[in-house]
Amino acid sequence: MRNFIVSLALIFLFQEILFSQFRGKESKKQIKINKFSLSSFSYACNIDSLTIVTFLEIPYSVLQFVKKDNGYVAYYQASIGVKNVGGFQIGSSVWRDSIIVEEYFDTKSWILNRKHFSPFNVSKLNEFEIIGELQDLDTRKKGIKKKILPFNF
């Protein structure tokens, strides 16, 4: 009976060590695409409305670059959307672009980045949610960030 319990414990221990190596890799890959930044500021454009300007900043290091003849290229799709609390979409902007660099070290840079921005006109009396999405078109990985802006005056 004692040998059975010891062998059962060794099997569970071996199984945990073996499968724990594979779990960490998938979550690490998904986290990398989420390391873009989403920011916004607002200003009053009329008595009853605001303009929200949203920025999406994409570091080169979060994208997958593929070697081509003239360097390295990465394809991506980025979007910014604004919704009210009820889920009604007020506006959105979508960009589909590529980045070409000559040096491999530039593909791993956190300093080099691509910025996109879009203004949205909204009323002052609602709470809004800004949604930023980034999809790497080579790996099909997608990152989403959400930010809530309360404008209750």
Side-chain angles (χ1 to χ4, degrees):
M1 184 68 171
R2 183 175 179 172
N3 289 337
F4 177 73
I5 294 173
V6 170
S7 63
L8 192 61
L10 286 175
I11 290 172
F12 284 127
L13 181 65
F14 178 72
Q15 185 179 15
E16 185 65 30
I17 291 171
L18 180 67
F19 291 122
S20 66
Q21 295 175 358
F22 298 113
R23 272 185 253 146
K25 289 182 182 179
E26 282 301 316
S27 63
K28 185 178 179 182
K29 288 180 184 177
Q30 290 294 341
I31 290 172
K32 186 177 177 185
I33 195 72
N34 278 331
K35 292 192 176 179
F36 65 94
S37 64
L38 178 67
S39 59
S40 66
F41 70 90
S42 61
Y43 62 91
C45 60
N46 288 330
I47 294 174
D48 61 345
S49 64
L50 294 171
T51 298
I52 300 173
V53 181
T54 56
F55 292 92
L56 192 68
E57 185 177 357
I58 306 165
Y60 285 7
S61 61
V62 302
L63 298 172
Q64 179 71 43
F65 283 83
V66 178
K67 182 153 179 55
K68 298 285 183 174
D69 294 334
N70 58 350
Y72 298 89
V73 64
Y75 299 98
Y76 68 93
Q77 179 175 324
S79 65
I80 300 173
V82 176
K83 293 182 181 181
N84 65 6
V85 178
F88 180 73
Q89 186 168 358
I90 295 167
S92 66
S93 296
V94 179
W95 299 273
R96 208 173 173 138
D97 202 0
S98 64
I99 300 171
I100 300 172
V101 295
E102 293 179 4
E103 298 291 327
Y104 174 75
F105 295 112
D106 293 339
T107 66
K108 301 298 178 190
S109 175
W110 286 97
I111 298 169
L112 297 174
N113 58 49
R114 184 70 54 99
K115 294 178 182 71
H116 298 284
F117 74 95
S118 184
F120 299 102
N121 290 329
V122 297
S123 67
K124 286 185 178 181
L125 301 176
N126 285 328
E127 185 174 276
F128 298 98
E129 182 178 30
I130 298 173
I131 302 168
E133 294 181 4
L134 174 64
Q135 183 177 14
D136 190 334
L137 297 177
D138 292 321
T139 62
R140 297 290 186 202
K141 292 190 173 150
K142 188 177 197 180
I144 299 173
K145 287 196 174 184
K146 297 179 180 181
K147 189 175 184 182
I148 295 177
L149 301 174
F151 291 122
N152 295 327
F153 293 101

